[in-house]
Amino acid sequence: MPKFEYAPAPESRSIVSLRESYGLFINGEFGPGVDGRAFKTISPATEEVLAEVTEAGPADVDRAVTAARKAYEHSWSAMPGRERAKYLFRIARIIQERARELAVLESLDNGKPIRESRDVDIPLVAAHFFYHAGWADKLEYAGYGPAPRPLGVAGQVIPWNFPLLMLAWKIAPALACGNTVVLKPAETTPLTALAFAEICQQADLPPGVVNIVTGAGETGRTLVEHPGIDKVAFTGSTEVGKQIARACAPTRKKVTLELGGKAANVVFEDAPVDQAVEGIVNGIFFNQGHVCCAGSRLLVQESVYSDVLASLRRRLATLRLGDPLDKNTDVGAINSAAQLAKIRELSEVGEAEGAQRWSPPCELPVKGFWFPPTIFTGVSQAHRIAREEIFGPVLSVLTFRTPAEAVEKANNTPYGLSAGVWTEKGSLILWMASRLRAGVVWANTFNKFDPTSPFGGYKESGYGREGGRHGLEAYLDV
Ligand code: NDP
């Protein structure tokens, strides 16, 4: 098959004006941390230092929670929904106006291809604020009683895989329902959250309604354990999610957890192979596989195994890995050295346990953190690469003979966040969907997100839903 050569098509980064250092965003203003600690955030594609960011300590978290409480009591919770809606609409429009800048900033700090930050992340961020702006004055029609009340101050901790999108998933519903927030972005990707703080200023949001405290895991722990928090919302690893659940259990805090996944993407023999292969690629190589709902376990019906694998290998050979800011890039950089080490380690375990590893010929840049798209075949259900979340561009391939076997294998995981089904038979889709223990089941597509659609997991993938009418429940006193 002829392979096209693409000329470089870099997106200009001149639209982003990075500051040398960033303070904490508390009570509507940027300011220094109490104990003067800071850390650097780098571009994972080049290891270039992008900026220095303040590390919030306990005194800073306390200031942020106090500011959020004051804003909750004196302005935000008492404000009519239609007035809150105006702020959310304004924020959504500013996000649209600054979309290009936000996309470039996200790709710089996270390493994801600009094509994804530009076409997926940022449009969804704006959509989330638009959608929840629509709810702010209609909460009495959401099905939670005639006058649903907010909870108070929300402490929110988010990961690095979709930095601004996870912020939107957390902040938009919280504000729409009348809560105020203190949010901690991930240590490796704080820049778009800080840009969002500027957007709050631009939108004239009352001081203290949104507070952003940057820092590492310890800052997150201090925030979720702060006694002034009424609600905790966390997205991240199952391990940290369990720690948070334990810490909050003896308190009156309401908690929602969106944790890991090990989704099965199930391909039946009647599925159109090319379409399914696109779905498999999107399922596991989108965002370098740094996706909680990634289709990391491919289950292929035995009768079409060789066809699907041959097409998949051909398709992988056409993926372009490299500069995240190049508009032709399909696979960007791994977010951090630590994540790269974890992906390498689990891949080595896969080989040691007897699975066969394959990657297309692929030149990796010398600087930065990179891992080629990788497939493991000959994987059994007991292998660690079939059970543990790798959170990288690594696909484990298994086979099945009957739909019942597919269901059994798909559900054989401690997780339950998402699943995919590929078949031409509508009846089989419904049969599978009613048996798969996963919060989201995609049929003949994968990794499709929409603010109107609730998202969340079963089992060790966490509890609570984000998005849609169901997502409002997490921020209302019901
Ligand atoms: P973490 O769960 O450690 O990080 C998620 C967020 O929680 C970050 O903001 C982190 O801060 C913060 N945090 C860390 N420790 C605590 C704590 N004790 N209390 C409160 N907040 C805390 O994920 P990692 O980034 O360490 O990734 C580890 C693995 O987790 C990945 O390899 C992947 O398998 C999985 N993961 C899953 C995600 C999902 O959406 N399902 C998202 C991210 C990771 P900081 O970044 O500063 O450490």
Side-chain angles (χ1 to χ4, degrees):
M1 194 169 69
K3 193 174 154 193
F4 293 102
E5 286 302 329
Y6 284 78
E11 175 75 49
S12 165
R13 60 183 272 186
S14 62
I15 193 157
V16 168
S17 42
L18 284 170
R19 297 189 213 164
E20 233 168 76
S21 66
Y22 289 83
L24 306 169
F25 184 68
I26 296 176
N27 207 26
E29 286 172 0
F30 283 96
V34 169
D35 51 17
R37 283 206 307 245
F39 60 97
K40 292 182 169 49
T41 184
I42 62 167
S43 150
T46 59
E47 296 174 58
E48 166 202 351
V49 173
L50 296 171
E52 198 170 81
V53 179
T54 305
E55 186 177 335
D60 302 311
V61 170
D62 195 51
R63 281 193 300 133
V65 173
T66 305
R69 172 65 56 197
K70 213 169 116 210
Y72 176 74
E73 281 169 7
H74 297 301
S75 65
W76 199 247
S77 66
M79 192 182 281
R82 65 177 183 282
E83 294 303 316
R84 289 200 307 271
K86 287 183 195 167
Y87 286 103
L88 290 170
F89 276 122
R90 207 178 292 165
I91 288 171
R93 281 194 295 267
I94 299 172
I95 288 166
Q96 284 186 322
E97 280 161 23
R98 295 179 60 172
R100 183 180 288 251
E101 172 201 347
L102 293 170
V104 172
L105 190 57
E106 197 75 302
S107 284
L108 272 175
D109 204 18
N110 169 281
K112 63 173 70 198
I114 185 75
R115 203 162 50 80
E116 292 176 5
S117 49
R118 183 195 63 194
D119 298 348
V120 182
D121 293 52
I122 307 302
L124 279 172
V125 171
H128 246 81
F129 279 96
F130 276 123
Y131 174 73
H132 286 95
W135 268 121
D137 63 346
K138 302 175 194 69
L139 294 172
E140 62 266 44
Y141 307 109
Y144 301 113
R149 289 191 43 75
L151 290 168
V153 177
Q156 308 179 316
V157 178
I158 55 169
W160 41 263
N161 52 343
F162 293 92
L164 195 59
L165 184 56
M166 288 303 103
L167 174 148
W169 281 28
K170 299 277 178 285
I171 292 186
L175 263 47
C177 293
N179 305 273
T180 56
V181 308
V182 180
L183 177 134
K184 190 201 88 71
E187 183 183 3
T188 57
T189 53
L191 294 182
T192 45
L194 294 164
F196 181 81
E198 287 172 10
I199 290 173
C200 293
Q201 289 179 322
Q202 227 179 316
D204 272 333
L205 192 70
V209 172
V210 168
N211 303 274
I212 309 283
V213 288
T214 43
E218 192 48 32
T219 306
R221 200 180 57 76
T222 310
L223 174 59
V224 300
E225 292 181 7
H226 194 289
I229 293 290
D230 301 294
K231 193 241 156 28
V232 171
F234 172 79
T235 297
S237 60
T238 294
E239 192 194 336
V240 172
K242 284 180 181 173
Q243 287 172 25
I244 291 175
R246 265 186 230 113
C248 294
T251 73
R252 57 175 175 75
K253 292 173 193 168
K254 257 185 116 171
V255 181
T256 43
L257 302 173
E258 200 266 273
L259 310 175
K262 192 74 191 174
N265 204 358
V266 185
V267 178
F268 284 96
E269 60 190 359
D270 63 339
V273 172
D274 288 346
Q275 215 173 305
V277 164
E278 284 310 307
I280 297 164
V281 168
N282 175 36
I284 185 64
F285 302 115
F286 170 65
N287 203 32
Q288 294 72 246
H290 300 328
V291 184
C292 47
C293 51
S296 52
R297 283 184 302 146
L298 174 64
L299 299 183
V300 190
Q301 199 154 17
E302 223 173 70
S303 47
V304 289
Y305 174 78
S306 354
D307 281 358
V308 170
L309 257 285
S311 293
L312 186 57
R313 288 201 169 105
R314 271 201 304 276
R315 180 67 179 91
L316 254 59
T318 68
L319 291 181
R320 291 175 298 273
L321 175 146
D323 181 7
L325 287 184
D326 192 307
K327 286 171 243 176
N328 291 324
T329 293
D330 299 305
V331 181
I334 299 303
N335 181 250
S336 64
Q339 189 57 28
L340 179 59
K342 182 182 166 190
I343 298 168
R344 283 189 177 144
E345 185 202 325
L346 272 167
S347 299
E348 279 156 24
V349 168
E351 276 183 296
E353 287 185 335
Q356 288 85 54
R357 176 177 182 162
W358 182 87
S359 292
C362 172
E363 210 174 300
L364 300 184
V366 183
K367 281 218 129 191
F369 316 126
W370 303 92
F371 199 86
T374 300
I375 300 180
F376 276 98
T377 50
V379 179
S380 86
Q381 295 187 81
H383 285 164
R384 275 182 67 192
I385 54 168
R387 289 187 288 119
E388 292 179 29
E389 187 177 45
I390 301 175
F391 224 60
V394 181
L395 178 68
S396 299
V397 186
L398 298 95
T399 59
F400 67 92
R401 289 182 185 166
T402 63
E405 188 187 343
V407 169
E408 201 166 312
K409 285 187 167 165
N411 287 340
N412 186 9
T413 165
Y415 297 112
L417 198 53
S418 66
V421 180
W422 296 84
T423 169
E424 282 198 335
K425 293 191 190 73
S427 56
L428 184 54
I429 290 171
L430 295 174
W431 191 90
M432 290 290 293
S434 63
R435 284 163 180 78
L436 291 168
R437 293 284 291 161
V440 181
V441 179
W442 285 293
N444 295 325
T445 186
F446 209 92
N447 276 340
K448 278 266 182 292
F449 306 99
D450 190 286
T452 64
S453 174
F455 184 92
Y458 284 95
K459 301 191 279 186
E460 291 199 13
S461 291
Y463 41 77
R465 294 292 177 266
E466 294 187 297
R469 188 184 69 77
H470 304 75
L472 299 172
E473 188 180 346
Y475 289 96
L476 292 171
D477 189 11
V478 289

